[in-house]
Amino acid sequence: MPRALLSVSDKTGLVDLARGLVDHGYEIVSTGGTARALTDAGLAVINVSDVTGFLEMMAFDELIEQIDIGGPSLVRAAAKNFRDVLIVVDPRRYPDVLHELDRPSGPSLEFRFALAQDAIAYTGQYDTAIASALARFSIDRGQFVRSDSGSSAGAAGRIDLSLEKIRDLRYGENPHQRAAWYQIAQNGARGSISILQGKELSYTNLLDLDAAARIALEFTEPAAVVVKHTNPCGAATGASAADAYVRARDADPLAAFGGIVAVNRVIDAAAAEAIVSTFIEAVVAPDVEEAARPVLARKTNMRVIVADFGPLGDARRSHLVEEMRSTLAGVLVQTRDRVTEACHPWSPSSLPEGLRVATKRHPTDGEWEALRFAWRVCAHVKSNAVIFTDESRTLAIGAGQMSRVDAVHVAAAKARAANVSLTGSAAASDAFFPFRDGLDAVARAGATAVVQPGGSVRDAEVILAADEHGLAMVFTGRRHFRH
């Protein structure tokens, strides 16, 4: 009787595979948690130690002891002998294996080789994960010391990546550019993301979806964002996903046409109805209710993406600590920017460390709320950025200008064109005002409260200008450039 050795960390589809193998006349050999899962399902299992005569050695506590030697060696050996051994490392392959076993001549050579290729890539990803983990440690006076990822001095001395292609894209930033979508392979595991409907995604669609999701995840309350060219044209919170979306869209309805939407709540039927009432290119959310799916399906070309936003209580959780960008000079790596100073409400009695009121006048309760809202959105607008908001919605956004004064002028011009009053609004600047002219422009536009990092050599001049205008101004002590 032939034997099948099953030992997996991902138990997806395991029992069905094992039953299929038993039906094909195989004895199951297994170990540890895999063996327990199979015996719990009522399957007969031969323990590895009964075959080898050696006890298992699995109970390691230290990181260095967690490095598996036997597993990868076994996988590589099986892959090397693919003509005689089927090695399966991906649960998605299980149905294919059972189908190939049903062939009168057995699994084809092409299929065996494809499994071997998967296996070698899998062990390569495992080795990459080990190398990346160990690169974060050094030895200081005989002790292992973990690098401080918060500083450039503590960055890993080596980064090894294994990228797995998810799919080819329609095109890059322009139709003449080829593009594909990859993800960092983590021991064969995929991130939780699925495409429910719509046209093929393009490179720019994914950039915009990422930009929109980053902003939506700054909020624990229901929030929605509409993005164009990686900049928000509207962001809002609301009583529900539908309410938040409508308020975000109406913040700049002209720019919202053909935009990319992110919602940090499950899309229900009401939200779906609101979304399809507008021409939207793509929408991303944590999930879509069954009742909402036929509503969204009315817009057959609209891309609908479900992604793992993480627990809303930990809205700034990210699957990747670092982000990378290729340049002519190589690859740049930085830790992901998070607006941690705005995780909790701002008030005179509970200001996060680093925040201070710089002016004679302190913000009112409503201004505190508006400043915090503005700060969370402003951090995701391309620099130089100055934006105007109320407590729960953007009013005007000046993005990506060469000077802060220009950014204010752009925002004010958009407000005038949309007949939106900025009187009594809050303004946020992603970096300090180098001169008082930017602050003067903010005051003329109608803002009564301002939040900015501070830190200019002319801070005293800017504070004096704010006092002259009767503005309340808060310094955060932290800049949020976005290039």
Side-chain angles (χ1 to χ4, degrees), residues 39 58 62-63 112 126 155 179 181 183 187 195 197 200 202 304 317 320 325 360 373 390 411 419 436 465 468 476:
T39 54
M58 300 294 288
E62 300 295 328
L63 174 66
R112 292 173 180 274
Y126 182 65
W181 179 11
Q183 70 172 5
N187 297 333
I195 302 169
Q197 68 169 63
E200 284 297 309
S202 72
V304 178
R317 184 177 71 92
L320 297 175
R325 181 178 297 185
K360 294 177 181 177
F373 177 90
D390 60 20
N419 198 30
R436 68 168 289 164
E468 289 176 1
T476 64

Side-chain angles (χ1 to χ4, degrees), residues 269-294:
E273 289 285 0
I275 291 169
V276 299
S277 69
T278 315
F279 171 53
I280 293 298
E281 288 280 2
V283 57
V284 61
D287 205 351
V288 177
E289 288 185 358
E290 285 299 324
R293 297 192 180 200

Side-chain angles (χ1 to χ4, degrees), residues 227-457:
V227 158
K228 280 293 242 345
H229 307 297
T230 71
N231 275 314
C233 50
T237 57
S240 64
D243 182 42
Y245 168 70
V246 170
R247 299 183 77 247
R249 178 198 65 195
D250 292 350
D252 191 343
L254 182 63
F257 184 84
I260 303 292
V261 172
V263 184
N264 71 349
R265 288 293 191 276
V266 174
I267 294 177
D268 56 16
E273 289 285 0
I275 291 169
V276 299
S277 69
T278 315
F279 171 53
I280 293 298
E281 288 280 2
V283 57
V284 61
D287 205 351
V288 177
E289 288 185 358
E290 285 299 324
R293 297 192 180 200
V295 178
L296 297 174
R298 293 181 206 156
K299 300 285 188 176
T300 56
N301 288 333
M302 183 175 69
R303 297 94 164 169
V304 178
I305 292 91
V306 170
D308 178 11
F309 275 23
L312 286 175
D314 184 15
R316 287 154 190 81
R317 184 177 71 92
S318 171
H319 294 296
L320 297 175
V321 175
E322 287 98 8
E323 51 191 12
M324 304 179 184
R325 181 178 297 185
S326 60
T327 70
L328 293 176
V331 176
L332 304 179
V333 181
Q334 67 172 357
T335 55
R336 181 167 294 219
D337 187 23
R338 295 185 174 113
V339 195
T340 53
E341 64 274 18
C343 287
H344 303 289
W346 292 353
S347 69
S349 59
S350 62
L351 276 182
E353 183 180 356
L355 265 70
R356 69 180 181 91
V357 178
T359 49
K360 294 177 181 177
R361 187 173 78 80
H362 284 235
T364 64
D365 290 345
E367 287 173 338
W368 275 119
E369 191 173 348
L371 290 171
R372 177 172 173 250
F373 177 90
W375 191 241
R376 285 181 284 176
V377 176
C378 187
H380 297 274
V381 181
K382 289 295 180 70
S383 302
N384 287 319
V386 177
I387 73 169
F388 295 81
T389 78
D390 60 20
E391 292 93 335
S392 58
R393 183 170 75 167
T394 55
L395 300 174
I397 296 174
Q401 300 305 306
M402 281 62 76
S403 79
R404 236 146 267 286
V405 175
D406 287 345
V408 175
H409 290 165
V410 167
K414 289 182 69 67
R416 286 193 298 272
N419 198 30
V420 171
S421 173
L422 299 182
T423 301
S425 63
S429 174
D430 62 341
F432 62 65
F433 290 100
F435 304 96
R436 68 168 289 164
D437 55 358
L439 194 286
D440 290 333
V442 165
R444 286 194 298 271
T448 59
V450 182
V451 58
Q452 57 134 322
S456 167
V457 296

Side-chain angles (χ1 to χ4, degrees), residues 116-147:
Q117 289 173 314
D118 288 350
I120 294 299
Y122 187 85
T123 57
Q125 293 164 12
Y126 182 65
D127 288 340
T128 294
I130 294 171
S132 297
L134 295 184
R136 295 189 176 281
F137 287 83
S138 60
I139 295 180
D140 182 16
R141 293 187 291 275
Q143 298 295 320
F144 284 101
V145 178
R146 185 180 178 89
S147 300

